[in-house]
Amino acid sequence: MPLVTIDVIKDVFTAKQKRELIDRVTKAMLEVEGESMRPVTWVRIKEFEGGDWAIGGKALAASDVHALAAGRAA
């Protein structure tokens, strides 16, 4: 039973984007393991509060990720 966990900062992705992540990751897994594994292929998204996630010692918030996505420094 494959289980894929995607960790994200809360409020970075919309509900629609999270559904898209789940759909695409599921499809990628099934390309490797075969369609018969669909009923037992789990994909889950875990959200962490802003500030509970850091890179290089700098805590990140959703606004930092949105700035990075827009091409601005966080």
Side-chain angles (χ1 to χ4, degrees), residues 1-66:
M1 164 180 90
L3 170 61
V4 178
T5 303
I6 303 169
D7 294 339
V8 298
I9 297 171
K10 188 175 181 183
D11 298 326
V12 169
F13 294 98
T14 65
K16 182 179 177 183
Q17 289 172 316
K18 289 185 275 187
R19 286 191 305 273
E20 184 71 18
L21 280 169
I22 290 168
D23 181 56
R24 290 185 183 203
V25 170
T26 299
K27 287 177 181 174
M29 291 298 298
L30 295 175
E31 285 179 19
V32 174
E33 63 190 8
E35 182 63 34
S36 64
M37 294 295 286
R38 181 179 291 274
V40 293
T41 299
W42 297 43
V43 178
R44 66 181 182 172
I45 297 176
K46 291 181 67 175
E47 292 184 305
F48 292 85
E49 292 293 330
D52 289 348
W53 187 308
I55 298 175
K58 181 187 183 307
L60 295 176
S63 60
D64 297 316
V65 178
H66 291 295

